[in-house]
Amino acid sequence: MNTTTSLQDDVKQLSQDPQLMLTAGRQALDSIMRILDGTHQPEAIGHDRLTRMAALIETSLPHRDALLVATINPDTTRDDLTTITEQPHDPAAVKLIFTSLTTCFEGRTPVNQERADRAYNLFDQLTAAVGPTPHLSASRAYLAWAARDPDQASSYMVQALTLDRTNNLAALIALALSKNINPTDD
């Protein structure tokens, strides 16, 4: 019997079972933190867990945002990510997201390339497990833009918008690239 799940199966299960969303989300956050800190490799995660993680990113913008914040802000804690994903409208979550994005955009804390490379590796593994998806592609576009790689940002932005022309993050990157808006180097 084949127990390997598909992205569509996981999306359906997560959308129908809040407890599963909570449990899977917490497992994914633990893995994300260990991967970004360099203590765990995404290749060590099984196909089913990668598929579940990709499904979380596709169905829950707070999970997508938590991954991006954890990548660009190395001071982010596991508790911070839990607040972002489980209480996304909590003032602490909103402040953390805003502060992380602003600090990155203003160039006060450039993206740590080693941490970004670990995130890219995770995205490679997620994409290998489920194929390209709108939010995985848009997230890669954002990280490439934040790391000042407009060619990669453009490539992933186009991929995200091809998969879903209504993807807001990809549209935001498209606007930034078209107006030559980039994180500052100051």
mmCIF file of all heavy atoms in Angstrom, residues 86-104:
data_model
loop_
_atom_site.group_PDB
_atom_site.id
_atom_site.type_symbol
_atom_site.label_atom_id
_atom_site.label_comp_id
_atom_site.label_asym_id
_atom_site.label_seq_id
_atom_site.Cartn_x
_atom_site.Cartn_y
_atom_site.Cartn_z
ATOM 1 N N GLU A 86 -0.172 30.975 14.800
ATOM 2 C CA GLU A 86 -1.377 30.631 15.555
ATOM 3 C C GLU A 86 -2.188 31.848 15.999
ATOM 4 O O GLU A 86 -3.365 31.721 16.314
ATOM 5 C CB GLU A 86 -0.994 29.771 16.761
ATOM 6 C CG GLU A 86 -0.419 28.427 16.336
ATOM 7 C CD GLU A 86 0.014 27.545 17.497
ATOM 8 O OE1 GLU A 86 -0.359 27.827 18.661
ATOM 9 O OE2 GLU A 86 0.733 26.565 17.223
ATOM 10 N N GLN A 87 -1.539 33.010 16.019
ATOM 11 C CA GLN A 87 -2.229 34.243 16.407
ATOM 12 C C GLN A 87 -1.762 35.367 15.482
ATOM 13 O O GLN A 87 -1.164 36.350 15.929
ATOM 14 C CB GLN A 87 -1.916 34.585 17.854
ATOM 15 C CG GLN A 87 -2.315 33.511 18.843
ATOM 16 C CD GLN A 87 -1.700 33.776 20.211
ATOM 17 O OE1 GLN A 87 -1.372 34.902 20.555
ATOM 18 N NE2 GLN A 87 -1.550 32.722 20.976
ATOM 19 N N PRO A 88 -2.018 35.226 14.166
ATOM 20 C CA PRO A 88 -1.440 36.156 13.204
ATOM 21 C C PRO A 88 -1.861 37.615 13.382
ATOM 22 O O PRO A 88 -1.154 38.510 12.927
ATOM 23 C CB PRO A 88 -1.902 35.610 11.850
ATOM 24 C CG PRO A 88 -3.066 34.751 12.155
ATOM 25 C CD PRO A 88 -2.854 34.218 13.535
ATOM 26 N N HIS A 89 -2.967 37.866 14.061
ATOM 27 C CA HIS A 89 -3.417 39.248 14.263
ATOM 28 C C HIS A 89 -2.998 39.804 15.622
ATOM 29 O O HIS A 89 -3.290 40.965 15.922
ATOM 30 C CB HIS A 89 -4.935 39.340 14.091
ATOM 31 C CG HIS A 89 -5.375 38.894 12.733
ATOM 32 N ND1 HIS A 89 -5.083 39.599 11.587
ATOM 33 C CD2 HIS A 89 -6.041 37.786 12.326
ATOM 34 C CE1 HIS A 89 -5.567 38.959 10.544
ATOM 35 N NE2 HIS A 89 -6.146 37.852 10.960
ATOM 36 N N ASP A 90 -2.302 38.999 16.401
ATOM 37 C CA ASP A 90 -1.797 39.452 17.686
ATOM 38 C C ASP A 90 -0.818 40.598 17.432
ATOM 39 O O ASP A 90 0.011 40.527 16.518
ATOM 40 C CB ASP A 90 -1.084 38.286 18.384
ATOM 41 C CG ASP A 90 -0.560 38.652 19.751
ATOM 42 O OD1 ASP A 90 0.477 39.350 19.815
ATOM 43 O OD2 ASP A 90 -1.164 38.215 20.743
ATOM 44 N N PRO A 91 -0.882 41.665 18.219
ATOM 45 C CA PRO A 91 0.040 42.797 18.007
ATOM 46 C C PRO A 91 1.509 42.387 17.995
ATOM 47 O O PRO A 91 2.306 42.967 17.251
ATOM 48 C CB PRO A 91 -0.272 43.734 19.180
ATOM 49 C CG PRO A 91 -1.695 43.438 19.526
ATOM 50 C CD PRO A 91 -1.861 41.956 19.274
ATOM 51 N N ALA A 92 1.875 41.385 18.782
ATOM 52 C CA ALA A 92 3.279 40.941 18.799
ATOM 53 C C ALA A 92 3.667 40.326 17.447
ATOM 54 O O ALA A 92 4.782 40.544 16.954
ATOM 55 C CB ALA A 92 3.500 39.933 19.927
ATOM 56 N N ALA A 93 2.764 39.568 16.848
ATOM 57 C CA ALA A 93 3.043 38.961 15.542
ATOM 58 C C ALA A 93 3.151 40.037 14.474
ATOM 59 O O ALA A 93 4.084 40.031 13.652
ATOM 60 C CB ALA A 93 1.960 37.950 15.177
ATOM 61 N N VAL A 94 2.207 40.965 14.481
ATOM 62 C CA VAL A 94 2.211 42.042 13.494
ATOM 63 C C VAL A 94 3.486 42.874 13.622
ATOM 64 O O VAL A 94 4.142 43.194 12.623
ATOM 65 C CB VAL A 94 0.945 42.921 13.645
ATOM 66 C CG1 VAL A 94 1.018 44.148 12.750
ATOM 67 C CG2 VAL A 94 -0.307 42.105 13.365
ATOM 68 N N LYS A 95 3.863 43.184 14.854
ATOM 69 C CA LYS A 95 5.069 43.988 15.081
ATOM 70 C C LYS A 95 6.321 43.244 14.611
ATOM 71 O O LYS A 95 7.204 43.835 13.987
ATOM 72 C CB LYS A 95 5.196 44.342 16.563
ATOM 73 C CG LYS A 95 6.419 45.191 16.865
ATOM 74 C CD LYS A 95 6.522 45.541 18.329
ATOM 75 C CE LYS A 95 7.770 46.382 18.573
ATOM 76 N NZ LYS A 95 7.968 46.692 19.972
ATOM 77 N N LEU A 96 6.415 41.950 14.913
ATOM 78 C CA LEU A 96 7.581 41.169 14.499
ATOM 79 C C LEU A 96 7.698 41.131 12.984
ATOM 80 O O LEU A 96 8.791 41.337 12.425
ATOM 81 C CB LEU A 96 7.513 39.744 15.051
ATOM 82 C CG LEU A 96 8.636 38.813 14.591
ATOM 83 C CD1 LEU A 96 9.991 39.297 15.077
ATOM 84 C CD2 LEU A 96 8.371 37.398 15.064
ATOM 85 N N ILE A 97 6.597 40.872 12.298
ATOM 86 C CA ILE A 97 6.629 40.830 10.836
ATOM 87 C C ILE A 97 7.030 42.198 10.290
ATOM 88 O O ILE A 97 7.937 42.304 9.450
ATOM 89 C CB ILE A 97 5.268 40.376 10.268
ATOM 90 C CG1 ILE A 97 5.017 38.910 10.633
ATOM 91 C CG2 ILE A 97 5.225 40.565 8.752
ATOM 92 C CD1 ILE A 97 3.604 38.438 10.347
ATOM 93 N N PHE A 98 6.381 43.249 10.766
ATOM 94 C CA PHE A 98 6.676 44.600 10.291
ATOM 95 C C PHE A 98 8.131 44.973 10.554
ATOM 96 O O PHE A 98 8.826 45.473 9.666
ATOM 97 C CB PHE A 98 5.735 45.615 10.950
ATOM 98 C CG PHE A 98 6.017 47.031 10.546
ATOM 99 C CD1 PHE A 98 5.598 47.515 9.317
ATOM 100 C CD2 PHE A 98 6.736 47.873 11.382
ATOM 101 C CE1 PHE A 98 5.879 48.817 8.929
ATOM 102 C CE2 PHE A 98 7.023 49.184 11.006
ATOM 103 C CZ PHE A 98 6.590 49.654 9.779
ATOM 104 N N THR A 99 8.604 44.728 11.753
ATOM 105 C CA THR A 99 9.978 45.074 12.115
ATOM 106 C C THR A 99 10.984 44.282 11.280
ATOM 107 O O THR A 99 11.966 44.844 10.786
ATOM 108 C CB THR A 99 10.220 44.833 13.619
ATOM 109 O OG1 THR A 99 9.283 45.616 14.358
ATOM 110 C CG2 THR A 99 11.632 45.194 14.030
ATOM 111 N N SER A 100 10.738 42.997 11.094
ATOM 112 C CA SER A 100 11.653 42.165 10.301
ATOM 113 C C SER A 100 11.720 42.647 8.863
ATOM 114 O O SER A 100 12.810 42.794 8.295
ATOM 115 C CB SER A 100 11.205 40.702 10.337
ATOM 116 O OG SER A 100 11.262 40.196 11.648
ATOM 117 N N LEU A 101 10.558 42.910 8.278
ATOM 118 C CA LEU A 101 10.531 43.356 6.881
ATOM 119 C C LEU A 101 11.144 44.744 6.725
ATOM 120 O O LEU A 101 11.908 44.988 5.791
ATOM 121 C CB LEU A 101 9.096 43.342 6.354
ATOM 122 C CG LEU A 101 8.413 41.976 6.312
ATOM 123 C CD1 LEU A 101 6.984 42.101 5.809
ATOM 124 C CD2 LEU A 101 9.198 40.987 5.484
ATOM 125 N N THR A 102 10.830 45.636 7.645
ATOM 126 C CA THR A 102 11.367 46.994 7.577
ATOM 127 C C THR A 102 12.881 46.997 7.753
ATOM 128 O O THR A 102 13.607 47.660 7.011
ATOM 129 C CB THR A 102 10.704 47.890 8.652
ATOM 130 O OG1 THR A 102 9.302 47.892 8.425
ATOM 131 C CG2 THR A 102 11.234 49.301 8.598
ATOM 132 N N THR A 103 13.365 46.256 8.723
ATOM 133 C CA THR A 103 14.802 46.176 8.977
ATOM 134 C C THR A 103 15.536 45.633 7.754
ATOM 135 O O THR A 103 16.581 46.142 7.369
ATOM 136 C CB THR A 103 15.081 45.306 10.218
ATOM 137 O OG1 THR A 103 14.422 45.889 11.327
ATOM 138 C CG2 THR A 103 16.556 45.197 10.506
ATOM 139 N N CYS A 104 14.950 44.610 7.130
ATOM 140 C CA CYS A 104 15.553 44.041 5.919
ATOM 141 C C CYS A 104 15.508 45.059 4.792
ATOM 142 O O CYS A 104 16.508 45.306 4.124
ATOM 143 C CB CYS A 104 14.811 42.769 5.529
ATOM 144 S SG CYS A 104 15.348 42.065 3.963
#
